[in-house]
């Protein structure tokens, strides 16, 4: 079976990044969008990064345009928007698909390890489910932007958090792994 560290991905500037660069780090891997109602989560993501980066924590941001085309910009533009508007310092990757035939291998792997979301706000999750009506969903598919996968220092997927789960509420899980 493949491990997370066997994959690579293009960053927002087109450079290939090997996941081995993140060995022995605690990771939060998030599919994002710049024009989503959940986009303000970038502020909390950056706050987590500020708080834990010096302890071996990294956030890997994978923009995705699959949910109501809420990330229409080019990857470099997405990175610029996030840095300017939210002060992001964590790695932003090239846009990927998280569901369907063209699912990026990293997301295929993450979903195979944790096919179900944990936490979140039930009402918001219901609204997101309604918003996703008309899109074919397979078992384990990402339901919306800002689904978060927590990975330990060994590269094991520990948890998958619902899009509506505020990043600040993930802090205790991160602290337990640091």
């Amino acid at each position: 079976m493949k491990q997370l560290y066997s994959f690579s991905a293009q960053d927002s500037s087109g450079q290939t990044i090997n996941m081995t660069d993140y060995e022995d780090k605690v990771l939060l891997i998030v599919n994002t969008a710049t024009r989503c109602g959940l986009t303000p989560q970038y502020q909390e993501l950056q706050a987590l990064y500020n708080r834990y980066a010096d302890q071996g924590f990294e956030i890997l941001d994978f923009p995705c345009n699959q949910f109501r085309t809420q990330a229409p910009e080019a990857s470099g533009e997405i990175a610029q928007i996030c840095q300017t508007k939210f002060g992001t310092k964590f790695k932003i990757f090239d846009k990927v698909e998280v569901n369907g035939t063209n699912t990026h291998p990293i997301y295929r792997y993450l979903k195979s390890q944790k096919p179900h979301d944990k936490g979140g706000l039930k009402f918001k999750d219901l609204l997101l489910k309604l918003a996703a009506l008309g899109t074919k969903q397979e078992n384990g598919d990402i339901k919306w932007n800002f689904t978060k996968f927590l990975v330990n220092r060994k590269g094991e997927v520990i948890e998958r958090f619902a899009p509506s789960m505020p990043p600040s509420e993930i802090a205790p899980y991160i602290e337990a792994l640091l």
Side-chain angles (χ1 to χ4, degrees):
M1 170 181 265
K2 286 195 165 209
Q3 295 182 346
L4 180 65
Y5 301 133
S6 66
F7 298 105
S8 64
Q10 302 289 315
D11 71 8
S12 60
S13 64
Q15 182 179 17
T16 299
I17 305 298
N18 294 311
M19 291 299 111
T20 55
D21 291 354
Y22 298 103
E23 281 184 300
D24 200 35
K25 303 274 187 179
V26 172
L27 305 176
L28 191 64
I29 302 174
V30 188
N31 66 297
T32 62
T34 52
R35 298 183 187 194
C36 175
L38 299 174
T39 301
Q41 285 190 18
Y42 267 117
Q43 293 169 321
E44 286 188 39
L45 289 170
Q46 184 57 43
L48 286 176
Y49 186 75
N50 290 344
R51 186 171 174 186
Y52 301 117
D54 63 349
Q55 297 175 50
F57 174 69
E58 293 288 339
I59 294 175
L60 308 183
D61 175 355
F62 287 88
C64 178
N65 198 35
Q66 283 187 284
F67 304 100
R68 304 273 189 218
T69 61
Q70 293 182 341
E73 304 88 356
S75 298
E77 188 178 352
I78 289 171
Q80 185 63 42
I81 289 168
C82 292
Q83 290 162 1
T84 302
K85 190 169 183 179
F86 301 106
T88 57
K89 304 275 188 248
F90 48 82
K91 178 62 81 177
I92 298 178
F93 287 84
D94 195 13
K95 277 197 289 191
V96 298
E97 290 190 15
V98 297
N99 293 330
T101 311
N102 297 318
T103 298
H104 191 281
I106 289 173
Y107 270 87
R108 193 172 314 281
Y109 173 76
L110 293 170
K111 294 187 307 182
S112 75
Q113 300 301 297
K114 286 289 179 185
H116 304 289
D117 293 344
K118 176 180 184 158
L121 306 169
K122 298 300 179 205
F123 181 69
K124 274 191 175 180
D125 286 335
L126 175 64
L127 292 177
L128 295 174
K129 190 174 185 178
L130 291 172
L133 285 177
T135 60
K136 186 176 182 241
Q137 295 266 313
E138 300 289 328
N139 187 30
D141 271 357
I142 304 294
K143 293 170 187 63
W144 202 256
N145 305 307
F146 291 91
T147 297
K148 304 153 200 79
F149 289 88
L150 184 63
V151 178
N152 70 12
R153 291 182 187 274
K154 296 177 186 173
E156 299 164 332
V157 183
I158 299 302
E159 199 54 78
R160 171 179 168 166
F161 297 101
S164 64
M165 179 80 150
S168 60
E169 292 183 20
I170 299 171
Y173 296 91
I174 295 167
E175 289 174 8
L177 296 176
L178 290 171

